Amino acid sequence: MADETPKAAQLLAKINYTPQAKQWMDVPVQIRKGMYCYAGNPKSLEYLGFPNARQWNPVEEDWKLPENWQQILHEGFKERLERFRSIKVFMDICVRCGACADKCHFFIGTGDPKNMPVLRAELLRSIYRNDFTTAGKLFGKLAGARPMTLEVLKEWWYYLFQCTECRRCSLFCPYGIDTAEITIFGRELLNLLGLNIDWIATPAANCYRTGNHLGIQPHAFKDMIDFFCDDIETITGLKPEPNFNMKGADILFVTPSGDVFADPGTYTCMGYIMLFHYLKEKYGLKVTWSTYASEGGNFGFFTSHETMKRLNAKMYLEAKRLGVKWILGGECGHMWRVIHQYMDTMNGPADFLQEPVNPITGTKFENAKSTKMVHIAEFLADLIKHGKLDLKPERNDNKILTFHDSCNTSRGMGMFDEPRYVIQNVANHFYEMPANTIREQTFCCGSGSGLNAGENMEQRMAGGLPRANAVKYVHEKFGVNMLACVCAIDRAALPPLMQYWVPEVQVTGLTELVANALVLPEEQERTTDLRGEPLPGMEEADE
Amino acid sequence: MGLIEQLALQKQTIVHKWFARVIASYPAETARFLSSQKDPFANPVGQTTRQSLTTLIELLTSTPDAAAMRAALDPVMRIRAVQSFSPAQAMGFVFELKAIIRQELPAKELTLAQWATMEQRIDQMALEAFDLYMQCREKIYELKANEMKDRTYKAFAKAGLIKEPADE
């Protein structure tokens, strides 16, 4: 008994860096700093009418849940199984073939097996089996079932907010299971207990109250756009006069507020203003902005179907009030998934609008026949195809470009070629990333679906690794120095991602590139681009 | 034959074993994927790690070059700095190389002086790895701080709410 204290050497010899091989159900969840977002502000939850609004902290033991929280979840689960046929099917048909397992950017980047889409879905399926299937009730763990405990709930919360609903995994599922819908469903259940994150809850509440994520009021929204007009005057010598809330305009323009308030999206916003100015001067087209429908983004999509519907309703309401012909949408990701897949049945039919026709070219946008809403990349590609824009692509010659397909515009609405066509007509140096990282196989920025907060930076950097890895490749091979995208969250999320993984690469929106190349009628000779950087060949003129 | 020459001969085996040890620091399901998927875009963690380790072994067998060693370590440390490793776990793989080399190269044929040189080089590698790990972590904190600063300050500035002191 004299010598029980182990020696240092003995202890060192016992260190084993290999994690124990355990069944996934036996590995307890560890909520790690940097991998989660702060809890939702109770005021925002109250504003949205969500239950159990209170201060709570994910890393504390007590999550301040209602006493009957298990019953609430069970009933919420049951109600949704009856309401959404897709969820019922997705719960039943997975054969765990593993085709999705290694397709998720969070799994690839973090190496955490519970980020395999199949396992993330199993977190919910195990409870489904336990509560709703005979086999699960009889055989329990043997049948892959387990009861709902606080530990399981924490695991749900941690991993359902490590999915960006990008749907890359569903592309590879032989049964077509949409894991994004499973996450949407799971998050909806969590909202029944007031378990949201602030980066989603507060923008959603702001949107509902003032019309946009930051809660900027109508006059400040207009002020911001006026500031951009001043900047445009400095660069081009011309001061555009955008229309606001204009009744009888041809087109209502709706874009995410990120373009108005966050760099580098602001340059894309200047691009929209310049484009509309050009179209007004040349062709008399009347496009109006709205201070009511001042947000294209829809963080309600990340909370519940009802909240998504309420936030989305503003677009059609405003289009009706202003009496426009159709709606043009700016560069956004999830806004387009909501428009393309839900808006028509959720808030439509928009029979008070016309089937979209480009009044300048006569092109019918057949794909938008029902929603009456056209993507700006489609609109631009059509204008360019018909030679309606006066362009000087050489003004973008210092930019060696590649294009990041936003998950929602590519997998969510099938838009692949229009942005590429536009880029290749407004710039001379364009290189694609490897085929298994673009188009329908595009890798997410790692910060979508409301995860682009600051406190979860490790999560964002790990999740964005597969995307950054492909950018690094084209940077090293072709000297790419500019990553173009058509999504406001991308424009907010990709710059820090690049700073960490490929610091030599900057991020731009599509319309910013167009506006750099666009020659406005009677403009002065430009010496800088929209960012105030000298144009190629103008380095001395700028000094 | 000196240690360096022997190491050069055994290069492939050593890289193979070292890679297996590094990959074993991940959970079993992940480790299988990291070692089997060969496409560098489908499996950036596995393939970047393999590439980094291969270059590092090559560097051990050539004239010491701190900058090259740093460049080879950077990609793998950059990845491990954002994954769920403690600092020791993130860079511990460098020290594991000592045990692997001892196993692979018959010790009796080597002189103490040769071992000392080799250990010194590996220790140097560990110090570089530690520097890189810290740089990555500092970068993460800088990005976090900038996110917060940009969001509030720039929005206020654009709304004309921030007044700079006027020039006298």
Side-chain angles (χ1 to χ4, degrees), chain A residues 56-70:
Chain A
W56 66 286
N57 185 344
V59 288
E60 281 173 10
E61 186 56 34
D62 182 9
W63 279 18
K64 301 178 187 166
L65 300 168
E67 232 166 72
N68 61 338
W69 68 268
Q70 276 145 316

Side-chain angles (χ1 to χ4, degrees), chain B residues 8-79:
Chain B
L9 286 177
Q10 300 280 344
K11 205 163 60 182
Q12 279 191 331
T13 324
I14 289 172
V15 170
H16 186 74
K17 294 208 163 171
W18 195 20
F19 178 73
R21 291 283 276 271
V22 178
I23 291 308
S25 60
Y26 293 91
E29 301 93 327
T30 310
R32 268 197 299 278
F33 161 69
L34 293 179
S35 52
S36 62
Q37 173 57 264
K38 301 288 184 249
D39 184 316
F41 303 106
N43 177 17
V45 174
Q47 290 306 310
T48 305
T49 304
R50 196 189 291 272
Q51 184 54 52
S52 277
L53 302 188
T54 309
T55 314
L56 286 169
I57 294 292
E58 276 165 11
L59 288 171
L60 271 189
T61 59
S62 51
T63 326
D65 179 348
M69 188 179 276
R70 209 178 166 72
L73 273 169
D74 186 285
V76 67
M77 289 316 298
R78 200 161 287 277
I79 291 172

Side-chain angles (χ1 to χ4, degrees), chain A residues 109 111 227 263 436 458 500, chain B residues 30 39-40 78 83 137 147 158:
Chain A
F227 285 133
D263 291 342
N436 57 346
E458 284 88 336
Y500 186 76
Chain B
T30 310
D39 184 316
R78 200 161 287 277
Q83 294 180 325
R137 297 302 307 173
E147 287 278 287
K158 278 184 183 141

Side-chain angles (χ1 to χ4, degrees), chain A residues 171-245:
Chain A
L171 190 71
F172 297 89
C173 176
Y175 286 92
I177 296 174
D178 185 346
T179 311
E181 281 205 20
I182 296 181
T183 299
I184 292 168
F185 161 69
R187 288 189 183 182
E188 218 179 279
L189 292 179
L190 290 172
N191 269 294
L192 298 176
L193 303 176
L195 299 175
N196 210 323
I197 62 171
D198 199 46
W199 197 253
I200 293 175
T202 296
N206 286 342
C207 253
Y208 193 44
R209 187 173 54 235
T210 39
N212 53 60
H213 286 174
L214 288 175
I216 305 283
Q217 295 175 31
H219 61 281
F221 185 86
K222 181 179 179 296
D223 279 353
M224 286 297 301
I225 292 183
D226 286 342
F227 285 133
F228 295 146
C229 294
D230 293 342
D231 287 348
I232 293 168
E233 188 179 18
T234 311
I235 298 163
T236 65
L238 300 167
K239 189 165 179 174
E241 287 172 9
N243 304 314
F244 291 96
N245 310 329

Side-chain angles (χ1 to χ4, degrees), chain B residues 26-152:
Chain B
Y26 293 91
E29 301 93 327
T30 310
R32 268 197 299 278
F33 161 69
L34 293 179
S35 52
S36 62
Q37 173 57 264
K38 301 288 184 249
D39 184 316
F41 303 106
N43 177 17
V45 174
Q47 290 306 310
T48 305
T49 304
R50 196 189 291 272
Q51 184 54 52
S52 277
L53 302 188
T54 309
T55 314
L56 286 169
I57 294 292
E58 276 165 11
L59 288 171
L60 271 189
T61 59
S62 51
T63 326
D65 179 348
M69 188 179 276
R70 209 178 166 72
L73 273 169
D74 186 285
V76 67
M77 289 316 298
R78 200 161 287 277
I79 291 172
R80 293 176 78 82
V82 292
Q83 294 180 325
S84 58
F85 296 115
S86 70
Q89 287 169 334
M91 54 166 294
F93 72 92
V94 176
F95 293 111
E96 296 200 44
L97 184 57
K98 291 186 184 180
I100 294 169
I101 293 179
R102 278 199 206 100
Q103 273 171 14
E104 291 308 309
L105 306 185
K108 57 182 178 186
E109 291 178 22
L110 304 169
T111 66
L112 267 181
Q114 284 176 334
W115 264 119
T117 311
M118 180 56 61
E119 293 221 329
Q120 196 193 5
R121 285 194 187 182
I122 295 174
D123 290 344
Q124 191 57 45
M125 194 191 288
L127 291 174
E128 292 285 358
F130 181 64
D131 276 356
L132 285 166
Y133 178 85
M134 278 313 297
Q135 275 178 18
C136 290
R137 297 302 307 173
E138 281 168 15
K139 186 75 198 170
I140 296 274
Y141 292 127
E142 182 192 313
L143 291 173
K144 282 188 189 187
N146 286 347
E147 287 278 287
M148 298 298 165
K149 217 163 55 188
D150 285 359
R151 272 177 190 145
T152 45

Side-chain angles (χ1 to χ4, degrees), chain A residues 371-432:
Chain A
T371 59
K372 317 286 196 298
M373 190 146 175
V374 176
H375 193 289
I376 191 142
E378 297 166 339
F379 185 60
L380 282 166
D382 179 51
L383 289 169
I384 293 171
K385 180 87 180 168
H386 288 87
K388 299 295 180 190
L389 299 183
D390 185 5
L391 298 165
K392 279 188 180 173
E394 60 274 17
R395 285 187 189 159
N396 284 319
D397 271 356
N398 54 355
K399 297 174 180 69
I400 305 168
L401 288 144
T402 191
F403 179 67
H404 161 72
D405 293 87
S406 154
C407 312
N408 286 297
T409 52
S410 58
R411 281 188 288 271
M413 66 183 286
M415 187 176 79
F416 304 117
D417 291 314
E418 289 86 346
R420 289 176 167 81
Y421 179 78
V422 173
I423 291 174
Q424 284 166 316
N425 278 282
V426 300
N428 292 317
H429 309 291
F430 173 71
Y431 298 94
E432 289 280 16

